[in-house]
Amino acid sequence: MTHSKITRRRIWTIAATIIILVGVFIILIPLFWMLTTSLKTYAEAESMAWLPRKPQWNNYFTALRAINFWRALGNTLLITFLAMTGHVFSCALVAYGFSRLRFPFRDPLFVILLATMMIPAQVTMIPIFIEFRALGWVDTFYPLTVPAFLGGSAFFIFLLRQFFMTIPTEMDDAARIDGCSHFGIFFKIILPLSKPALLTVALFSFMGNWNDFMGPLIYLNSPEKKTLALALQDFNSLYAVQPHLMMAASLVIMLPCLAIFFFAQRYFIKGMVITGVKG
Amino acid sequence: MNLSARKREALSGYFAISPWLIGFLAFIIGPILASLFLSFMKWDIITPPAFVGGGNYKRLIEDPLLYQCLKVTFIYTVFAIPLNLGFGLLVAILMNQGVKGINIFRTIFYMPAILSGVAVAILWQKIFNPHFGVLNPILKLLHIMPVLELISSPVTWLYSEFWALPSFIIMNLWAVGGAMIIYLAALQGIPTHLFESADIDGASVWSKFRHITLPMLSPVILFNLIMGIIGSFQVFTSSYIMTGGGPNNATLFYVLNLYRQAFQYHRMGYGCALAWVLFIIIIVFTLLILKSSSAWVYYAGARRGK
């Protein structure tokens, strides 16, 4: 490479870095403002002071008490973990069937499964509500957890199937010669080798249910059954003009998602890439 | 023996997919058919349903709210999706220029994309607030405010009939990292020898972008486009929380209207008719895009699109 070419390349890299840094700055402003506002007094938040003079940690206690935090957290965790368990096991089993076992109509059924990814949940929302209402499940956690055990998400099945396809079939054959059944192979070979993909599904499921608003809004009425998302919305409609308290409560509810993201971001990226690029 | 082994495998296969089959019947096909059936009924969920034929669809065509929510959703889609995909591509390409610290930058850009729901909607509701939000002071600081005021004044964002919908488009841009992360993975998958041979031929930066990068990324652009459109037709939480569809229905997104008709006004049949219209719109859009894709999506070698 000639000298001028190297210089040009370096200038190009520096320019790209500067633009990205500006972008990073813009991306971080909302979160930074959220944190600082959550520590302001009401007067500071109202007068748009850039920083609190003295961090008001008390805002967090006030806000969490107002949303009945512990009860809402318990409800959210229960729903989230049940749904996560359901998603991981049922989607893995279905994906195993579609990726490893031969049976009549397998491929047409798989095409149907892919097609269902395009169907917005809102299309089926009303009849499903009527279904659950007939079962007497309104104002219970069943509508928010039972579907997860029944295939739950075409997206997760697709993701896991793509992953299972990358596991060499020689492993199955060897196990079969040793007398392993189809489900033995599933439990002893496929599942242990798929831990990263299963974790990806678990994390996506967690995030989806933790942040879900429409489901709890439709199905849960009693105050003692409210999830964090519902409790936060109630709080916002009462205290909309108390930005410092709203930001404190919102930040606490975002925090688990942020923490999971920082510790496990490679699993999210892997999940996005498996479905987006290799699809 | 051989036959029975095959039969056993088929049985195991059906057993393995049985959760999905049950779920498919109970939560997809059943409800879709029920929803079609219900869309010809008038039902307030308390008194028994009554058959009204095409009554719901006739009312739908005459309902100004339908046109309003279609308009809001279309305008949002037309601006938010191209902006999101364009900026996502731009950021991904910039990151792929040998920038140091790419892992940290990638994490920061991707972070907002995984945040969603009520907390994010509330955060942006406060950011846009003209009294204590952080956006307007920044715009004043950068002298952008006078320009916006020329377009429509006052710039009160969620309180302004003009600026409320652009607020949602801006908020959507914050989550540009979702598209970026997929582009970036695809960019890193482009074989470097393509660029090397282009360099030998003396290709310019632009022609390398136009003739190598874009074609190689086109399957991923298609994926992001379809996912983006489906997502934008389903905006609900943010509009419910940030504006409640206001002011004067300026942010009445389609699904918010659907939710209100069904679960607040208890018009189950009418809601189902709305749901079916949404379903048909999404199918038509997806098919149109897939049809057009053969003209602009390039699949290298054995790579097959979906």
Side-chain angles (χ1 to χ4, degrees):
Chain A
M1 226 185 265
T2 61
H3 194 70
S4 78
K5 248 189 184 161
I6 296 175
T7 323
R8 241 175 55 199
R9 166 135 253 166
R10 188 168 298 155
I11 291 171
W12 184 232
T13 307
I14 291 170
T17 311
I18 290 170
I19 301 173
I20 287 177
L21 280 174
V22 172
V24 162
F25 186 70
I26 294 171
I27 293 275
L28 287 177
I29 289 175
L31 293 175
F32 178 75
W33 183 73
M34 187 179 203
L35 177 66
T36 54
T37 304
S38 75
L39 296 170
K40 286 174 191 168
T41 61
Y42 175 69
E44 283 168 336
E46 263 282 86
S47 62
M48 292 195 275
W50 287 102
L51 288 169
R53 228 151 29 100
K54 186 167 161 288
Q56 303 292 316
W57 297 104
N58 223 3
N59 288 347
Y60 282 84
F61 296 106
T62 313
L64 294 189
R65 218 175 303 122
I67 62 170
N68 205 345
F69 178 72
W70 294 108
R71 163 151 291 159
L73 177 70
N75 293 338
T76 309
L77 283 177
L78 183 63
I79 293 170
T80 310
F81 277 94
L82 279 173
M84 193 164 86
T85 313
H87 275 139
V88 169
F89 282 102
S90 74
C91 295
L93 186 64
V94 174
Y96 174 66
F98 277 122
S99 62
R100 277 300 206 268
L101 301 172
R102 280 160 301 178
F103 51 88
F105 305 113
R106 183 182 74 175
D107 294 341
L109 283 172
F110 190 67
V111 171
I112 291 174
L113 179 127
L114 289 183
T116 62
M117 278 206 277
M118 300 282 168
I119 300 173
Q122 289 80 17
V123 172
T124 51
M125 182 172 81
I126 298 168
I128 292 178
F129 173 79
I130 294 164
E131 227 175 289
F132 285 137
R133 191 172 166 273
L135 289 169
W137 283 5
V138 170
D139 209 26
T140 70
F141 294 156
Y142 295 123
L144 305 172
T145 50
V146 170
F149 287 87
L150 296 170
S153 154
F155 172 76
F156 293 157
I157 296 173
F158 175 62
L159 192 153
L160 288 172
R161 177 203 179 249
Q162 298 299 91
F163 190 88
F164 292 168
M165 301 285 264
T166 63
I167 300 173
T169 46
E170 287 80 13
M171 315 264 307
D172 308 24
D173 297 337
R176 200 166 299 129
I177 290 163
D178 291 346
C180 211
S181 71
H182 292 301
F183 294 101
I185 291 169
F186 174 63
F187 282 109
K188 287 187 194 130
I189 293 175
I190 303 288
L191 284 189
L193 285 175
S194 307
K195 275 181 202 145
L198 295 172
L199 194 57
T200 302
V201 166
L203 293 175
F204 274 128
S205 166
F206 177 88
M207 294 285 203
N209 283 292
W210 182 270
N211 290 320
D212 184 24
F213 177 62
M214 203 174 198
L217 180 68
I218 290 173
Y219 288 108
L220 304 177
N221 314 316
S222 323
E224 72 272 11
K225 291 198 174 116
K226 295 214 155 147
T227 61
L228 283 171
L230 282 184
L232 188 59
Q233 148 64 12
D234 285 352
F235 185 44
N236 189 41
S237 47
L238 290 173
Y239 293 87
V241 289
Q242 307 259 15
H244 56 309
L245 297 181
M246 288 316 308
M247 290 298 97
S250 301
L251 190 61
V252 170
I253 290 171
M254 256 187 216
L255 220 49
C257 295
L258 283 172
I260 289 176
F261 174 67
F262 278 110
F263 289 112
Q265 60 156 317
R266 66 196 172 103
Y267 295 104
F268 285 96
I269 293 174
K270 188 172 278 163
M272 292 306 291
V273 171
I274 285 181
T275 49
V277 180
K278 297 186 186 137
Chain B
M1 178 62 207
N2 203 355
L3 195 81
S4 90
R6 183 165 294 175
K7 262 194 182 148
R8 236 186 12 235
E9 182 173 350
L11 275 180
S12 303
Y14 285 122
F15 179 78
I17 67 160
S18 62
W20 174 73
L21 272 178
I22 297 169
F24 178 66
L25 293 176
F27 302 127
I28 296 177
I29 275 297
I32 284 182
L33 294 177
S35 152
L36 183 62
F37 179 69
L38 276 173
S39 75
F40 297 106
M41 310 288 252
K42 186 183 159 93
W43 192 23
D44 60 5
I45 219 167
I46 300 156
T47 54
F51 183 76
V52 291
N56 286 323
Y57 290 96
K58 189 166 168 285
R59 223 175 81 198
L60 201 85
I61 293 169
E62 291 161 359
D63 188 352
L65 282 183
L66 172 76
Y67 297 102
Q68 181 60 23
C69 73
L70 277 175
K71 193 178 107 192
V72 167
T73 310
F74 275 117
I75 295 177
Y76 173 78
T77 309
V78 164
F79 285 95
I81 303 307
L83 279 172
N84 195 297
L85 295 194
F87 272 102
L89 184 58
L90 181 72
V91 175
I93 287 174
L94 287 172
M95 290 232 192
N96 207 32
Q97 301 299 322
V99 170
K100 290 212 177 66
I102 178 174
N103 284 335
I104 301 166
F105 296 148
R106 191 176 60 178
T107 303
I108 294 172
F109 265 97
Y110 187 37
M111 185 171 57
I114 58 111
L115 296 171
S116 69
V118 179
V120 176
I122 290 176
L123 167 61
W124 280 93
Q125 187 187 42
K126 307 308 169 212
I127 287 174
F128 284 123
N129 189 294
H131 306 295
F132 51 72
V134 72
L135 183 62
N136 278 357
I138 291 176
L139 293 176
K140 276 178 196 141
L141 207 70
L142 298 173
H143 300 288
I144 296 172
M145 205 52 168
V147 183
L148 298 182
E149 274 168 348
L150 275 182
I151 301 170
S152 175
S153 183
V155 188
T156 48
W157 299 110
L158 301 172
Y159 295 100
S160 147
E161 242 179 86
F162 180 86
W163 288 110
L165 198 51
S167 310
F168 284 81
I169 296 168
I170 293 171
M171 177 182 159
N172 181 262
L173 264 183
W174 191 49
V176 73
M180 176 215 70
I181 208 90
I182 297 178
Y183 287 132
L184 197 56
L187 276 174
Q188 287 166 348
I190 301 179
T192 46
H193 68 81
L194 290 179
F195 291 107
E196 282 157 11
S197 40
D199 276 334
I200 292 167
D201 294 342
S204 68
V205 173
W206 168 250
S207 75
K208 276 188 283 187
F209 174 73
R210 176 69 192 75
H211 297 291
I212 300 175
T213 313
L214 267 190
M216 292 299 282
L217 285 185
S218 57
V220 176
I221 297 177
L222 175 68
F223 176 83
N224 278 342
L225 184 64
I226 291 181
M227 287 300 151
I229 287 180
I230 293 177
S232 77
F233 274 107
Q234 299 183 51
V235 171
F236 173 74
T237 304
S238 51
S239 61
Y240 183 97
I241 286 168
M242 286 162 65
T243 57
N248 196 15
N249 292 331
T251 57
L252 184 75
F253 280 86
Y254 197 99
V255 175
L256 183 60
N257 188 29
L258 171 60
Y259 169 82
R260 284 216 179 127
Q261 297 294 341
F263 296 100
Q264 284 181 348
Y265 312 143
H266 300 293
R267 297 171 184 154
M268 291 297 168
Y270 190 63
C272 284
L274 273 172
W276 263 89
V277 171
L278 174 70
F279 188 32
I280 290 165
I281 291 173
I282 289 187
I283 288 181
V284 168
F285 264 78
T286 312
L287 288 181
L288 280 179
I289 292 167
L290 284 178
K291 258 236 141 80
S292 81
S293 71
S294 60
W296 59 272
V297 175
Y298 170 78
Y299 292 111
R303 272 175 76 187
R304 207 171 50 81
K306 142 180 93 59

